[in-house]
Amino acid sequence: MILARLSRAVRTQNWFAVVLEFFVVVAGVLVAFLVTEWRMSVAAGLEETRILERLHADIEHVTNDRWDWAADRANNRDLLLSASALLYADEAGELSRAECNAIAQSHVFNSPSLALPILTELESTGEMDLIRNDGIRRAMSQHFLSEGWSEEIDRAINHEVLNLSARHPHLMHFAFPGDAGNWNPIFDGSARCDTAAMREDRPFLNELADNISKSTFFLRAVMDGPNRSFRALHQAVDNELGVSHGEATE
Ligand SMILES: [Zn+2]
């Protein structure tokens, strides 16, 4: 209809009508385009909110095991360092039970996962751009970098496992408990150490030094780095969704 009027105006050389009809056509196209844009933007916003709610649910599914284990490993490293003062520096005294048990588990470098299934899903379908919030995208990038570095270090430190109680049985043994129902010898305080013999055993001391160095990288790169970036990502998602957890935010 508009085009018919426009061509009639051209035929009759009614230039005012031509210009007017032309602008009506352009304005119509522009309005239709803006409405489509607006609808797409609203739809993308709703989709982003739905994804962020799933991301937040995934974040909350990471259990306290992860944070408890990080604290436990930090404590184990402190015990290894205090044991080192006795074993490497000619300091008098015997290893405590706790220090001996820290040595028994000094080769254990695993960790509960920080995996977020929604991000894996978006990455595999190439839809990561559905998350548009700048703060969250920055936090995600930082977390991916931390996780990448963590995996690298994790592979390196677990490439060769030095289980000292198995490799140096003349220096350590495990006391069998009265109630053996829940015996967990590496972790439950059953290890016993011969401090004097350990001080004289160079291969043992060198392998313990290896495990102590690995514990430094484990704590920094596998535990603390990803834990920090994970918490920053959680905070960014909380900010966008307006969620508050009070003091106990993880
Ligand atoms: Zn939250």
Side-chain angles (χ1 to χ4, degrees):
M1 180 67 88
I2 289 176
L3 286 176
R5 282 205 309 271
L6 184 58
S7 62
R8 191 166 53 245
V10 170
R11 273 200 314 275
T12 58
Q13 297 192 348
N14 181 352
W15 301 121
F16 175 74
V18 169
V19 171
L20 190 64
E21 295 291 353
F22 177 76
F23 276 108
V24 167
V25 170
V26 170
V29 170
L30 188 63
V31 167
F33 174 74
L34 289 176
V35 167
T36 306
E37 275 275 283
W38 174 75
R39 280 201 184 125
M40 284 171 64
S41 163
V42 169
L46 290 172
E47 179 70 353
E48 183 181 20
T49 303
R50 189 184 65 77
I51 288 169
L52 292 182
E53 283 170 353
R54 276 190 62 196
L55 175 57
H56 190 257
D58 284 353
I59 286 171
E60 289 203 303
H61 276 134
V62 171
T63 66
N64 282 334
D65 290 351
R66 172 82 190 190
W67 323 117
D68 293 347
W69 185 239
D72 185 87
R73 291 299 86 190
N75 183 51
N76 207 68
R77 177 172 158 74
D78 288 344
L79 288 166
L80 289 176
L81 294 179
S82 63
S84 301
L86 283 171
L87 295 174
Y88 293 89
D90 292 333
E91 213 172 87
E94 293 287 314
L95 290 170
S96 69
R97 286 272 173 90
E99 288 166 340
C100 178
N101 280 277
I103 293 171
Q105 53 182 272
S106 63
H107 61 290
V108 177
F109 297 113
N110 54 15
S111 52
S113 169
L114 283 175
L116 297 168
I118 178 68
L119 295 187
T120 309
E121 190 181 312
L122 292 175
E123 203 172 23
S124 68
T125 55
E127 294 179 306
M128 207 59 101
D129 284 351
L130 291 175
I131 297 178
R132 302 176 303 173
N133 179 283
D134 281 344
I136 294 174
R137 289 180 68 87
R138 270 198 303 277
M140 279 180 356
S141 298
Q142 188 55 52
H143 189 52
F144 285 146
L145 286 173
S146 295
E147 286 276 78
W149 181 232
S150 162
E151 282 166 24
E152 191 88 5
I153 295 293
D154 194 48
R155 259 196 304 279
I157 62 182
N158 283 299
H159 177 66
E160 184 184 21
V161 176
L162 300 176
N163 180 343
L164 298 180
S165 63
R167 296 169 68 88
H168 303 275
H170 55 294
L171 300 177
M172 305 178 75
H173 69 279
F174 294 92
F176 193 67
D179 171 18
N182 294 313
W183 197 31
N184 186 1
I186 295 283
F187 293 99
D188 69 2
S190 302
R192 301 289 181 268
C193 292
D194 183 339
T195 307
M198 283 178 169
R199 280 194 185 104
E200 303 304 320
D201 194 316
R202 188 56 61 190
F204 164 80
L205 291 174
N206 288 352
E207 290 190 354
L208 175 59
D210 198 303
N211 281 354
I212 290 171
S213 280
K214 285 175 175 174
S215 76
T216 308
F217 287 101
F218 178 75
L219 275 183
R220 285 183 192 162
V222 182
M223 299 260 72
D224 295 346
N227 284 358
R228 259 199 310 278
S229 59
F230 181 90
R231 286 176 165 133
L233 175 59
H234 188 180
Q235 189 60 59
V237 174
D238 278 354
N239 291 347
E240 177 64 10
L241 293 178
V243 175
S244 170
H245 299 279
E247 293 285 308
T249 302
E250 287 293 1

